[in-house]
Amino acid sequence: MKSLDEHRIPGFLANGIHTGIKPDGAKDLALIFSTRPATAAGVFTTNAFKAAPVLIDMERIRSGVAQAVIANSGVANAATGAEGLSDALSVSRRTSMELGIADEMVLVASTGVIGHRLPLEKITGGVKALVAGLHDGGIPDAEAAIMTTDRFPKIATRKRVIGKKEVTLCGIAKGAGMIQPNMATMLAFIMTDAAISRDLLDQVFRQSVAGSFNAVSVDGCMSTNDTAVILANGIAGNDPPRRGSRSLAAFRELLAELLSELARGLVRDGEGATKVIEIMVTGARTLRDAQRVAYAIANSNLVKTAFFGGDPNWGRIISAAGSVGIDLPVDRVCLFLEDMSLFAEGRGIGGREKELAAIMKQPEIRVRLELGMGRTAWTVCSSDLTVDYVKINAHYHT
């Protein structure tokens, strides 16, 4: 268990409170604030039905500067028309007034049920207390306030010397269901005291998202509210990395580690999930082919239920791989569960049922499918499909 000190980022304050959106008294309104304007970049859902806060943030992030993020849970403010946009802007204005900053410096986010307008009076009525309670140890409170069906918080912190100065990164995320790339359905807010130009921050953030949040799947469903934002306030005082420099490579590596930890947490917390399944497709001709095969396996309900039941049903895995329309060389395809070969030369390999049964009981299981067509690989983290997933989503709206 990390101490609060490990989640403190120089120049960042945060808070999370209950305003009455959630009926159980849980925190439902979060705020992250940089004490000075920060360089900003973001990645958002590609869903055609983008939520009101996503539309606002996509416009504001173009400036490359932001200072605050306010997010509510419990109501998505998606598919709410012009009124939804007006509501999100009202939240932004009230927040900017309380913080004493320009309205355009505030980013907004929402998560919860689609099709409902924000309970505006509850949210705006809580902003004053939210701002008054900002403190440098408030990141765990902010994380708690963005959770919906999450079973546990997702917070990650990294420190490293970059450009002769120690820089710190901290990220929080929420997400358990509707997890599928472009980008994965979740909220994620990353804070760092590093100094870095907007163009390079945007570049390394997108690269890191591609290999983390966009390389996981719980149920193959994309939301309307996906938002991942990074703020860099420069308080560390490091020399801003230059393109192609070792400092930039070090920052990219640190950021990728952080996002990968958060992304793995999303999968581990998949609604009702009991297992994390790492699916690596190797030997593909192209990256697109590797991704298509990996996601076909990751999103197969038959594969996912087999893992839930502890059944090493390799037939379901190769069937999913063969369904995507790629002319696979069947005799060269090899399938491994951990390091155990299950399929090669066009046929299954039996005789190790006890070892396989032990592997299937592990909380994290590695699957590798070698296609024998090239040298390109892609890895996706997925989860099993359980009875609890059906129960949670059968009753989520009501």
Side-chain angles (χ1 to χ4, degrees), residues 305-338:
T305 51
F307 276 92
F308 172 58
D311 179 12
N313 192 331
W314 56 264
R316 294 182 177 182
I317 298 174
I318 65 167
S319 293
S323 70
V324 299
I326 298 171
D327 188 16
L328 299 177
V330 173
D331 290 342
R332 296 204 300 271
V333 172
C334 298
L335 175 65
F336 299 85
L337 196 63
E338 295 292 343

Side-chain angles (χ1 to χ4, degrees), residues 80-159:
T80 49
E83 294 86 357
L85 281 169
S86 177
D87 291 345
L89 290 170
S90 293
V91 173
S92 170
R93 282 193 295 271
R94 182 59 184 269
T95 305
S96 65
M97 288 174 59
E98 292 292 340
L99 290 171
I101 62 176
D103 186 29
E104 293 74 17
M105 299 292 281
V106 178
L107 302 176
V108 289
S110 298
T111 182
V113 179
I114 293 171
H116 293 259
R117 289 182 61 184
L118 296 177
L120 200 54
E121 291 186 5
K122 292 179 179 179
I123 294 176
T124 56
V127 169
K128 187 177 184 67
L130 184 67
V131 171
L134 284 169
H135 59 112
D136 62 358
I139 289 175
D141 292 326
E143 163 65 11
I146 64 173
M147 293 168 61
T148 51
T149 59
D150 305 67
R151 291 174 292 179
F152 57 83
K154 297 136 189 101
I155 309 177
T157 303
R158 293 288 189 280
K159 294 178 184 288

Side-chain angles (χ1 to χ4, degrees), residues 51-61 84-85 88-89 106-108:
V54 171
L55 295 173
I56 292 169
D57 290 353
M58 289 179 69
E59 179 64 31
R60 291 184 174 182
I61 207 75
L85 281 169
L89 290 170
V106 178
L107 302 176
V108 289

Side-chain angles (χ1 to χ4, degrees), residues 5 25 47 49 75 100 128 134 141 156 195 209 214 224 235 273 275 293 302 306 313 316 330 358 370 385:
D5 285 343
N47 196 301
F49 296 94
V75 179
K128 187 177 184 67
L134 284 169
D141 292 326
V209 165
N214 276 352
T224 54
I235 286 178
K275 295 183 178 75
V293 173
L302 290 178
N313 192 331
R316 294 182 177 182
V330 173
E370 166 61 45
L385 180 61

Side-chain angles (χ1 to χ4, degrees), residues 214-397:
N214 276 352
V216 296
S217 180
V218 168
D219 48 20
C221 297
M222 182 193 296
S223 176
T224 54
N225 290 61
D226 313 344
T227 299
V229 169
I230 184 168
L231 302 180
N233 64 18
I235 286 178
N238 60 292
D239 292 331
R242 296 181 179 180
R243 193 177 302 276
S245 67
R246 291 183 180 179
S247 293
L248 183 63
F251 182 80
R252 181 191 295 111
E253 180 182 359
L254 199 63
L255 180 60
E257 287 178 5
L258 183 90
L259 298 194
S260 293
E261 180 179 338
L262 293 173
R264 184 64 69 103
L266 299 180
V267 176
R268 196 169 70 252
D269 196 19
E271 289 171 339
T274 65
K275 295 183 178 75
V276 173
I277 310 160
E278 183 180 278
I279 301 163
M280 176 184 288
V281 174
T282 60
R285 267 195 306 257
T286 66
L287 179 61
R288 175 61 177 158
D289 284 353
Q291 291 173 329
R292 288 172 64 194
V293 173
Y295 282 114
I297 298 169
N299 291 330
S300 165
N301 287 340
L302 290 178
V303 171
K304 293 160 78 69
T305 51
F307 276 92
F308 172 58
D311 179 12
N313 192 331
W314 56 264
R316 294 182 177 182
I317 298 174
I318 65 167
S319 293
S323 70
V324 299
I326 298 171
D327 188 16
L328 299 177
V330 173
D331 290 342
R332 296 204 300 271
V333 172
C334 298
L335 175 65
F336 299 85
L337 196 63
E338 295 292 343
D339 295 321
M340 187 173 294
S341 179
L342 295 183
F343 178 90
E345 298 180 346
R347 60 176 61 87
I349 301 170
R352 290 161 295 177
E353 284 72 19
K354 288 185 179 179
E355 293 94 328
L356 285 173
I359 290 173
M360 294 302 289
K361 291 179 181 177
Q362 297 174 183
E364 298 194 10
I365 302 171
R366 289 182 293 114
V367 175
R368 181 167 68 86
L369 186 69
E370 166 61 45
L371 301 185
M373 302 176 73
R375 297 183 178 181
T376 305
W378 183 256
T379 299
V380 172
C381 281
S382 187
S383 60
D384 56 348
L385 180 61
T386 72
V387 175
D388 284 344
Y389 178 89
V390 177
K391 289 180 178 178
I392 290 167
N393 285 286
H395 302 291
Y396 181 65
H397 185 277

